[in-house]
């Protein structure tokens, strides 16, 4: 057996069940070996699409994602998606063909390990025919156990060598248990919670990954805490009457008020960064801040914290709840009947009054989002691109749970939203995939519309079309700068969608959304592109906060 075959087979046996990619000569055999081992291959039209599809697949399936790329240019094309995954700590394995060490003048030659390192991914390599399977297994386990994005370089000469008979088996490794925090740290946090009158928990990606919903709810109940999440964990506490939804730029006025009023804020697997904490302004001056994280580096990384707990979020929440229960009765904390009613009445953005600025030729993005929220089935998985528009779908579209929302924004790249929707759709085929994009991000990524059609995904692609890079227009416009570089003539994106084989509709008012209703009642055998010509008279209220972070 050749090394390429042995590596592909080994990775399939380790659990790679889906691999996205663009196949060239260098990754042809390894990709076919994965398929022969039982993995599904998803061909994409650009490697960046493949990387982000695999990233989103990993996030919403909770498995290791995989991408297969050609040496050199295949990898460089994938770099933006790889960077997003690395910054998000997505367990992602990038199978990158590489030039042989001796091919010093190859056109494809670039320093692939340096590329990986430059963006925060781990560089791995199959070193020899004898070690190739063990090298690949190590790369897989780094991705899985350390939640890292790993670029596994596959030199062509090693791939083409015969794999020695004794070197094809995957070395065994024990399953690891999530680490418990130290008893002292647990006691400290339990003590802070026992004293707190108005505690708020903000759960992030670490809480999602640890599947800590039940343990956090139990602890919040015992300590009277309100619950919020960072954007990437939206939906984690759905159905809980004390869930305030997203903390940060997208927070409703009530959520912001309640978090600001907290005397103890506990971040659970949450970075407490400028987005989630609105540059710190969501934290009241007297509040104690605690942070629980598996990763010691994460504690205090974005803002000073008073108390740090290193350990798995679920384990920590259980241990703190046990410690609190030995201290005596549960406290009402922040919770009261009045507040429960206020949260039910005022916390959803869609329940708050606003002045509709639509004029028949352009639809208000809030009206659009609320109407779609009503029309689309609740069982959906929503993917959001970056741009001025991004808060509307994030705030106005409900999601069934945290797996129903995929937010690939750690690199703040536009153009990843459509890819994200494909990966999430494949991970959750029982849900209606919804891609919410700006016209800039949509047109940047448009080649993958062919992939959506080819895969037969019943996807709704809604484009908040302001015929501009709206984020830039609203940032620079008020200061009187020229805006020609960031404005575009109208594009008929519904027709572009039809050209790819989608159904396409242009929406200028609420009435035009009847077409969406018709599509939903139909066979849904073609994706639906909604080119929503949105009102663009002002920047969104979260945009200012975003630019402060530049
Ligand atoms: C890859 C990349 N290029 C450029 C930018 C800078 N940028 C941020 S938002 C934005 C405009 C996005 O336009 P669009 O997708 O139409 O959304 P809108 O802001 O109009 O709502 C640009 C160019 C970026 N974030 N990522």
């Amino acid at each position: 057996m050749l090394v390429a075959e042995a590596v592909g087979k080994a990775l399939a046996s380790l659990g790679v069940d889906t691999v996205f990619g663009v196949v060239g000569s260098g990754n042809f055999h390894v990709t076919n070996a994965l398929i022969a081992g039982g993995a599904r291959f998803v061909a994409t039209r650009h490697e960046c699409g493949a990387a982000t599809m695999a990233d989103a697949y990993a996030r919403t399936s909770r498995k290791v994602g995989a991408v297969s790329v050609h040496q050199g240019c295949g990898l460089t094309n994938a770099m933006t998606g790889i960077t997003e995954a690395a910054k998000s700590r997505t367990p992602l394995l990038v199978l990158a063909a590489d030039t042989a060490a001796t091919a010093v003048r190859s056109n494809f030659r670039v320093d692939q390990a340096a590329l990986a390192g430059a963006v925060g991914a781990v560089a791995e390599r199959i070193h020899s025919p004898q070690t190739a399977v063990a090298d690949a297994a190590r790369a897989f386990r780094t991705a899985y156990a350390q939640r890292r994005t790993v670029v596994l370089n596959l030199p062509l000469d090693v791939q083409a060598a015969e794999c020695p008979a004794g070197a094809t088996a995957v070395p065994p490794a024990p399953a690891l248990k999530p680490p418990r925090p130290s008893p002292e740290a647990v006691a400290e946090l339990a003590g802070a919670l026992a004293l707190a009158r108005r505690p708020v928990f903000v759960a992030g990606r670490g809480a999602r990954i640890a599947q800590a919903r039940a343990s956090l709810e139990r602890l919040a109940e015992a300590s009277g805490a309100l619950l919020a999440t960072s954007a990437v964990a939206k939906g984690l506490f759905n159905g809980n009457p004390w869930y305030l939804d997203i903390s940060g730029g997208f927070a409703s006025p009530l959520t912001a008020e309640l978090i600001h009023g907290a005397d103890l804020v506990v971040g659970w697997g949450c970075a407490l960064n400028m987005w989630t904490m609105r540059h710190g302004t969501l934290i009241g001056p007297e509040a104690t801040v605690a942070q629980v994280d598996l990763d010691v580096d994460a504690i205090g990384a974005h803002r000073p914290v008073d108390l740090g707990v290193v350990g798995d979020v679920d384990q920590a929440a259980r241990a703190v709840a046990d410690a609190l229960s030995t201290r005596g009765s549960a406290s009402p904390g922040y919770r009261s009947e009045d507040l429960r009613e206020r949260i039910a009445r005022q916390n959803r953005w869609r329940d708050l009054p606003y002045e509709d600025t639509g004029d028949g030729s352009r639809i208000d993005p809030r009206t659009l989002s609320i109407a779609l929220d009503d029309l689309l089935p609740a069982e959906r998985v929503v993917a959001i691109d970056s741009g001025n528009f991004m808060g509307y779908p994030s705030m106005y579209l409900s999601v069934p749970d945290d797996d129903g929302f995929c937010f690939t924004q750690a690199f703040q790249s536009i153009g990843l939203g459509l890819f994200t929707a494909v990966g999430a759709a494949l991970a959750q085929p029982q849900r209606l995939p919804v891609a919410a994009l700006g016209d800039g991000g949509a047109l940047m990524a448009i080649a993958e519309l062919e992939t959506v059609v080819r895969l037969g995904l019943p996807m709704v692609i809604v484009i908040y079309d302001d015929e501009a890079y709206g984020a830039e227009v609203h940032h620079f416009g008020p200061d009187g700068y020229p805006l020609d570089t960031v404005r575009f003539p109208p594009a008929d994106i519904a027709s572009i969608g039809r050209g790819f084989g989608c159904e396409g509709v242009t929406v200028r008012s609420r009435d035009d959304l009847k077409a969406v209703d018709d599509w939903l009642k139909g066979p849904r055998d073609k994706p639906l592109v909604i080119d929503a010509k949105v009102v663009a008279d002002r920047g969104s209220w979260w945009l200012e906060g975003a630019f402060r972070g530049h």
Side-chain angles (χ1 to χ4, degrees):
M1 190 188 306
L2 299 184
V3 166
E5 292 160 354
V7 165
K9 196 165 160 251
L11 290 173
S13 78
L14 278 164
V16 172
D17 69 355
T18 303
V19 57
F20 299 82
V22 175
V23 167
S25 55
N27 58 333
F28 183 83
H29 293 301
V30 73
T31 305
N32 279 331
L34 269 158
I35 297 168
R40 166 175 52 171
F41 176 66
V42 179
T44 67
R45 292 300 179 175
H46 192 284
E47 288 85 350
C48 186
T52 297
M53 288 177 203
D55 179 353
Y57 180 81
R59 294 187 201 204
T60 50
S61 69
R62 298 167 181 272
K63 299 175 188 167
V64 174
V67 196
S68 171
V69 296
H70 186 69
Q71 63 272 26
C73 42
L75 180 62
T76 53
N77 263 358
M79 285 315 294
T80 300
I82 291 172
T83 309
E84 168 61 38
K87 284 178 181 282
S88 295
R89 294 291 298 266
T90 299
L92 179 67
L93 191 59
V94 182
L95 301 170
D98 198 358
T99 46
T102 49
V104 288
R105 298 289 173 213
S106 165
N107 294 66
F108 293 123
R109 188 172 194 87
V110 288
D111 187 343
Q112 298 197 171
L115 274 176
V119 301
V122 177
E124 274 286 6
R125 164 173 294 273
I126 54 167
H127 292 280
S128 70
Q130 289 74 23
T131 61
V133 168
D135 294 334
R138 188 178 61 249
F140 178 90
R141 288 179 180 135
T142 301
Y144 173 73
Q146 297 179 40
R147 305 199 59 76
R148 298 296 302 269
T149 292
V150 180
V151 176
L152 176 61
N153 291 312
L154 306 165
L156 296 184
D157 53 343
V158 182
Q159 282 198 61
E162 191 63 34
C163 191
T168 57
V170 175
L176 299 174
K177 303 283 178 291
R180 293 201 110 193
S182 79
E184 292 80 6
V186 167
E188 230 184 325
L189 184 51
L193 275 170
L195 287 178
R197 302 273 63 92
R198 294 177 311 283
V200 171
F201 291 177
V202 186
R205 178 182 297 117
R208 258 204 90 216
I209 301 307
Q211 300 189 284
R213 175 180 179 155
S215 57
L216 286 172
E217 283 182 321
R218 177 178 155 229
L219 178 60
E221 173 88 37
S223 51
L226 305 181
L227 296 158
T229 52
S230 63
V232 289
K234 180 179 168 70
L236 183 67
F237 299 114
N238 271 2
N240 187 307
W242 307 105
Y243 179 32
L244 305 173
D245 206 348
I246 298 179
S247 169
F250 302 155
S252 70
L254 180 62
T255 298
E257 176 198 318
L258 293 172
I259 297 173
H260 191 261
D263 60 354
L264 173 64
V265 175
V266 189
W268 295 92
C270 173
L272 301 175
N273 62 22
M274 63 184 175
W275 309 106
T276 309
M277 290 294 125
R278 279 195 196 169
H279 299 272
T281 59
L282 284 184
I283 297 179
E286 305 299 328
T288 299
V289 180
Q291 196 180 357
V292 180
D293 209 289
L294 198 51
D295 182 357
V296 71
D297 270 356
I299 304 221
H302 287 271
R303 54 157 302 112
V305 296
D306 304 294
L307 207 161
V309 178
V310 178
D312 174 77
V313 169
D314 187 54
Q315 294 292 325
R318 286 167 192 269
V320 175
D322 291 346
L324 265 190
S325 70
T326 60
R327 281 170 171 255
S329 63
S331 147
Y334 219 152
R335 300 182 175 194
S336 68
E337 264 321 299
D338 275 3
L339 191 57
R340 182 201 284 262
E341 273 167 39
R342 262 188 94 196
I343 294 170
R345 261 186 297 114
Q346 294 175 23
N347 202 52
R348 290 196 318 167
W349 274 100
R350 53 165 298 160
D351 296 334
L352 303 181
Y354 66 94
E355 195 189 326
D356 189 318
T357 53
D359 61 3
S361 71
R362 298 200 156 265
I363 186 168
D364 187 306
R366 294 163 292 188
T367 304
L368 167 73
S369 308
I370 293 169
L372 287 174
D373 195 37
D374 289 335
L375 282 168
L376 300 176
E379 275 301 312
R380 58 181 82 147
V381 52
V382 177
I384 316 269
D385 208 333
S386 200
N388 175 60
F389 78 96
M390 67 197 276
Y392 298 114
S394 303
M395 299 188 307
Y396 289 87
L397 293 184
S398 60
V399 295
D401 55 32
D402 54 309
D403 286 337
F405 190 69
C406 200
F407 197 69
T408 41
Q409 305 276 343
F411 195 24
Q412 264 188 274
S413 173
I414 64 167
L416 304 184
L418 182 61
F419 317 152
T420 305
V422 175
L426 293 176
Q428 302 198 43
Q430 76 287 7
R431 290 179 163 168
L432 182 95
V434 182
L437 318 174
D439 51 305
L443 291 171
M444 187 178 274
I446 201 75
E448 298 302 351
L449 212 45
E450 190 277 336
T451 305
V452 179
V453 172
R454 176 165 33 85
L455 294 175
L457 296 175
M459 187 183 289
V460 171
I461 300 142
V462 52
I463 295 149
Y464 291 72
D465 184 0
D466 61 355
E467 292 151 5
Y469 292 150
E472 275 63 30
V473 168
H474 300 301
H475 184 55
F476 293 109
D479 292 327
Y481 289 106
L483 297 171
D484 300 343
T485 52
V486 288
R487 281 199 171 129
F488 294 88
D492 184 355
I493 303 179
S495 282
I496 293 173
R498 285 192 287 272
F500 275 96
C502 302
E503 281 193 31
V505 54
T506 304
V507 168
R508 296 181 179 278
S509 70
R510 211 182 178 295
D511 292 346
D512 295 334
L513 288 167
K514 163 118 189 15
V516 179
D517 203 21
D518 293 344
W519 181 86
L520 285 165
K521 288 183 183 133
R524 305 184 195 174
D525 53 353
K526 291 174 173 182
L528 174 66
V529 171
I530 304 170
D531 181 13
K533 302 288 187 186
V534 291
V535 177
D537 56 345
R538 72 190 86 159
S540 52
W541 52 95
W542 58 86
L543 189 70
E544 202 183 318
F547 274 104
R548 278 184 63 200
H550 278 212

